[in-house]
Amino acid sequence: MTPGNNGASTPQDDDPFGYLYADGQANGAQPPSGGGYGYPSVNRVRAVGERQYGQQQTAQYGQPAAPPQQGAYGQPTGQPAGPEGFSGGAGTPTGHREQGLGGGRGRGPNTKGLLIGAVAVVAAVVIGIAVAMTGGDSDDDKQAGGEVSSAPTVSESASPSASSSGDTEQEVELPTIDAKALRLGGAAALASDVQGARADGGIYVALNQVGNSVTWSVDGIPEDGDYTLFAHYSAPGEDQSMTLTVNGKKFGQPLSMKNYAKAAAGDFTKGWTTTYAWPTLTKGTNTISLSCEAGDKCNVLLDQFWLKKGQVKD
């Protein structure tokens, strides 16, 4: 339309809906064609997928975006009026889409931040469970008064240990010697005719006259103290006694060698028995001698000596 008055009425008097009335039709009003001025534009409902999106091209990096085409006066633009005419979210026209760095599209959702948050939540839950489990065990150890129980656990023993220092000393194996390993003195001689000797091979030594003796040089004494010397012998008929010497000194009294077996005189086979004395020994090597001295009764067969720690009787 050009400036000026091209008709009977001014543009302000034009009725866009005049063709709907009789007087408008009399004045030559015609319905607009192609959706012109005064002809309402109707958006038809379309099936999903029928409408096309993204028709307008995005400007290249460094190139100005082409302005949207302006329709003729009274004509609708090519851009649909519905929400689908916008890309990048509601309220953002296609022609004014925000450009990302380098001309690309805008950023998507921050998935990395969401992933880090989820991992942090899971870690916090795991730590909480671990703390609860360890804290629960410590509460069971407390009594009602809030103090830690002093009762012994299953792995602890409320009774004293079975192996005390005294028991350990008694468990130390001390030497034993047979007659054949002893040093003989005087007319003492080894024999094996009489049965019942404990020594290896049934060997024994006869101490049946003055001057006969046996000497044991014993090694391995663990410490100074009282020990028990045992002797296995046979003395039938009547009680005997002989001189005991320890480390060159006579023992306080002769070694008693009684007929404990109650064997008849001369019956050495049935006369085997045991006697003992309690000498004091020193750590290391000691010398023990049994001899027939004047005034002793020496009708004895001897086959073994052995030692035990302390003053014992068997």
Side-chain angles (χ1 to χ4, degrees):
M1 179 178 292
T2 58
N5 186 0
N6 294 333
S9 60
T10 63
Q12 290 84 354
D13 296 330
D14 288 342
D15 187 0
F17 300 96
Y19 70 95
L20 298 175
Y21 307 100
D23 56 348
Q25 294 175 2
N27 292 329
Q30 297 293 328
S33 59
Y37 177 78
Y39 192 80
S41 174
V42 178
N43 290 325
R44 302 291 184 181
V45 178
R46 295 178 174 85
V48 175
E50 182 177 349
R51 187 182 299 274
Q52 300 298 322
Y53 299 92
Q55 296 298 324
Q56 185 167 347
Q57 297 296 326
T58 304
Q60 297 296 324
Y61 181 78
Q63 298 294 331
Q69 298 295 327
Q70 180 67 36
Y73 180 74
Q75 298 294 329
T77 63
Q79 179 69 27
E84 60 273 16
F86 299 87
S87 64
T92 305
T94 305
H96 299 283
R97 181 185 306 160
E98 292 183 17
Q99 299 296 320
L101 182 61
R105 295 187 179 182
R107 294 183 178 178
N110 189 2
T111 57
K112 183 177 180 180
L114 295 176
L115 179 59
I116 294 175
V119 171
V121 171
V122 173
V125 172
V126 171
I127 293 174
I129 293 175
V131 171
M133 293 179 65
T134 56
D137 293 340
S138 62
D139 293 339
D140 295 339
D141 296 335
K142 295 184 178 180
Q143 296 179 339
E147 296 181 355
V148 178
S149 173
S150 59
T153 63
V154 176
S155 62
E156 297 175 346
S157 175
S159 59
S161 174
S163 58
S164 62
S165 59
D167 295 335
T168 303
E169 292 175 356
Q170 292 186 1
E171 290 176 358
V172 174
E173 185 175 356
L174 295 175
T176 298
I177 191 168
D178 291 344
K180 62 183 179 181
L182 295 171
R183 186 172 75 247
L184 305 181
L190 298 177
S192 58
D193 299 335
V194 178
Q195 301 298 314
R198 294 179 180 177
D200 184 27
I203 297 175
Y204 55 87
V205 59
L207 300 171
N208 54 357
Q209 62 183 17
V210 175
N212 289 353
S213 66
V214 291
T215 302
W216 181 18
S217 181
V218 53
D219 297 325
I221 301 303
E223 60 183 356
D224 296 352
D226 294 333
Y227 290 82
T228 301
L229 172 69
F230 290 94
H232 189 244
Y233 68 100
S234 177
E238 61 177 337
D239 297 336
Q240 308 293 310
S241 63
M242 300 180 65
T243 302
L244 180 65
T245 304
V246 177
N247 294 326
K249 296 181 179 181
K250 288 186 178 181
F251 192 62
Q253 58 187 8
L255 180 63
S256 175
M257 306 181 81
K258 294 183 178 180
N259 181 17
Y260 294 111
K262 306 298 182 183
D267 191 355
F268 287 95
T269 300
K270 294 183 179 179
W272 290 103
T273 187
T274 302
T275 189
Y276 62 88
W278 290 336
T280 299
L281 303 179
T282 59
K283 182 178 180 180
T285 302
N286 292 259
T287 302
I288 300 173
S289 297
L290 182 64
S291 59
C292 182
E293 304 291 339
D296 294 338
K297 292 183 177 180
C298 308
N299 193 18
V300 173
L301 304 180
L302 177 76
D303 73 324
Q304 264 185 343
F305 281 136
W306 68 93
L307 288 168
K308 284 189 177 181
K309 183 72 173 65
Q311 295 182 349
V312 297
K313 295 182 179 180
D314 54 24

